[in-house]
Amino acid sequence: MITTELFVKMTIDRWNGSIANVNKHLNALTDEQLQKEIAPGKNRGTYLLGHLIAVHDDMLKLLDMREKLYPELSEPFIQYADKVVEPTPTASDLRKMWEKQNGWLQEKFAKMKPEEWFEKHTAVSEEDFMKEPYRNKLNIIITRTSHLQYHSGQIVLLN
Amino acid sequence: MITTELFVKMTIDRWNGSIANVNKHLNALTDEQLQKEIAPGKNRGTYLLGHLIAVHDDMLKLLDMREKLYPELSEPFIQYADKVVEPTPTASDLRKMWEKQNGWLQEKFAKMKPEEWFEKHTAVSEEDFMKEPYRNKLNIIITRTSHLQYHSGQIVLLN
């Protein structure tokens, strides 16, 4: 039987799988390795980790869950490219922020009822949502999982 | 209203968006650039493109759609690492295979009825599928979109 619960499980399982996968890569790297560029002249691992935390923090607002945990990360890790704003948090600081954020998200996601994922996210108007019902909270998870996988394929290069 | 059609649209839109995104990167690269390593000592762009074609070819079987278009790509691009099997198809050959495969997939996906995506894929038994209904065709698209995004984040480094 095709149920809302089934579809939500498929989407959230993929999110959780992507987080577990990037954690496996991150845990295999020393802080020194994480501070290196993924390829000559490209972003550093620490920038990518800070970028993921900042993007997932924005997601908390889009999902109408809570204010950002780390509003100070938007400027150095979303607004600006790597190596523009210095100093930024250390590799060790970023790891702690990432773990705390993931713990929070995991707990919150586990409490969501399947139907709640199909509510509109906060960046779409009621009027637009009537016409475009796919602009829901679950779609935010779908697009952010894609984003996470994209950068995960870069972080793995540090090893 | 939460419908099967809505879930399917969300998933297929993300697949199509990921294909469009990697195509934008691929089209911005010359064949010479695509033959380069994404980072020193790592896979070449041509290996990653061949790998994506071979994995999507496997998907045709998992989705019970047709036999592989390019069975000869499994050995050099899935079974073996880059630079083990030589010669492999040229960058220009791979681009043509990729375009043909995407055209075929796009046409086929457009004809699928929403409910058909929730049928079991070919690598799961009827018995297991009864207990694990998430092992359906749509889930193959979800996991392969993740895989595509992972390598897309690597291909972009060639530019």
Short mmCIF file of all heavy atoms in Angstrom, two decimals, chain A residues 156-159, chain B residues 37-44 82-83:
data_model
loop_
_atom_site.label_atom_id
_atom_site.label_comp_id
_atom_site.label_asym_id
_atom_site.label_seq_id
_atom_site.Cartn_x
_atom_site.Cartn_y
_atom_site.Cartn_z
N VAL A 156 35.24 13.78 0.68
CA VAL A 156 35.92 12.48 0.61
C VAL A 156 37.30 12.59 -0.07
O VAL A 156 38.19 11.77 0.19
CB VAL A 156 35.03 11.43 -0.11
CG1 VAL A 156 34.92 11.70 -1.59
CG2 VAL A 156 35.52 10.01 0.15
N LEU A 157 37.49 13.60 -0.89
CA LEU A 157 38.76 13.77 -1.60
C LEU A 157 39.92 14.12 -0.65
O LEU A 157 41.08 13.99 -1.03
CB LEU A 157 38.64 14.85 -2.67
CG LEU A 157 37.61 14.58 -3.77
CD1 LEU A 157 37.49 15.80 -4.68
CD2 LEU A 157 37.97 13.34 -4.57
N LEU A 158 39.59 14.56 0.55
CA LEU A 158 40.64 14.93 1.51
C LEU A 158 41.37 13.71 2.06
O LEU A 158 42.44 13.83 2.65
CB LEU A 158 40.04 15.73 2.67
CG LEU A 158 39.55 17.13 2.29
CD1 LEU A 158 38.68 17.70 3.40
CD2 LEU A 158 40.72 18.06 2.01
N ASN A 159 40.78 12.55 1.89
CA ASN A 159 41.37 11.33 2.46
C ASN A 159 42.32 10.65 1.47
O ASN A 159 42.01 10.53 0.30
CB ASN A 159 40.28 10.36 2.88
CG ASN A 159 40.77 9.46 3.99
OD1 ASN A 159 41.97 9.17 4.07
ND2 ASN A 159 39.88 9.04 4.85
N GLU B 37 42.32 14.58 -14.04
CA GLU B 37 41.94 14.12 -12.70
C GLU B 37 41.22 15.25 -11.96
O GLU B 37 41.62 16.41 -12.07
CB GLU B 37 43.20 13.73 -11.90
CG GLU B 37 43.88 12.49 -12.45
CD GLU B 37 45.21 12.18 -11.74
OE1 GLU B 37 45.78 13.10 -11.11
OE2 GLU B 37 45.67 11.03 -11.83
N ILE B 38 40.21 14.89 -11.17
CA ILE B 38 39.46 15.92 -10.42
C ILE B 38 40.32 16.55 -9.32
O ILE B 38 40.10 17.69 -8.93
CB ILE B 38 38.16 15.36 -9.81
CG1 ILE B 38 38.44 14.07 -9.00
CG2 ILE B 38 37.12 15.09 -10.90
CD1 ILE B 38 37.33 13.67 -8.09
N ALA B 39 41.29 15.80 -8.83
CA ALA B 39 42.29 16.29 -7.86
C ALA B 39 43.51 15.37 -8.05
O ALA B 39 43.37 14.26 -8.57
CB ALA B 39 41.75 16.21 -6.44
N PRO B 40 44.71 15.81 -7.63
CA PRO B 40 45.90 14.99 -7.90
C PRO B 40 45.75 13.54 -7.39
O PRO B 40 45.45 13.32 -6.22
CB PRO B 40 47.00 15.74 -7.14
CG PRO B 40 46.52 17.16 -7.09
CD PRO B 40 45.03 17.06 -6.95
N GLY B 41 45.93 12.59 -8.29
CA GLY B 41 45.87 11.18 -7.93
C GLY B 41 44.46 10.60 -7.81
O GLY B 41 44.29 9.43 -7.48
N LYS B 42 43.43 11.43 -8.07
CA LYS B 42 42.04 10.96 -7.94
C LYS B 42 41.48 10.59 -9.32
O LYS B 42 42.17 10.68 -10.33
CB LYS B 42 41.19 12.04 -7.27
CG LYS B 42 41.71 12.51 -5.92
CD LYS B 42 41.54 11.46 -4.82
CE LYS B 42 42.09 11.97 -3.49
NZ LYS B 42 41.97 10.96 -2.43
N ASN B 43 40.20 10.20 -9.35
CA ASN B 43 39.57 9.79 -10.61
C ASN B 43 39.58 10.89 -11.67
O ASN B 43 39.49 12.07 -11.36
CB ASN B 43 38.11 9.41 -10.36
CG ASN B 43 37.98 8.12 -9.57
OD1 ASN B 43 38.77 7.20 -9.74
ND2 ASN B 43 36.98 8.07 -8.69
N ARG B 44 39.62 10.47 -12.92
CA ARG B 44 39.50 11.41 -14.03
C ARG B 44 38.01 11.70 -14.28
O ARG B 44 37.15 10.86 -13.98
CB ARG B 44 40.11 10.81 -15.30
CG ARG B 44 41.64 10.69 -15.23
CD ARG B 44 42.19 9.96 -16.44
NE ARG B 44 41.70 8.59 -16.49
CZ ARG B 44 42.04 7.70 -17.41
NH1 ARG B 44 42.88 8.05 -18.38
NH2 ARG B 44 41.55 6.49 -17.37
N ASP B 82 39.70 3.61 -11.77
CA ASP B 82 40.20 4.37 -12.91
C ASP B 82 41.63 3.94 -13.25
O ASP B 82 42.41 3.59 -12.37
CB ASP B 82 40.16 5.87 -12.58
CG ASP B 82 40.38 6.75 -13.81
OD1 ASP B 82 40.25 6.24 -14.94
OD2 ASP B 82 40.65 7.95 -13.62
N LYS B 83 41.94 3.97 -14.50
CA LYS B 83 43.28 3.70 -15.05
C LYS B 83 43.71 2.23 -14.98
O LYS B 83 44.87 1.93 -15.22
CB LYS B 83 44.34 4.58 -14.36
CG LYS B 83 44.12 6.06 -14.59
CD LYS B 83 44.78 6.91 -13.49
CE LYS B 83 43.95 8.10 -13.15
NZ LYS B 83 44.30 8.75 -11.88
#
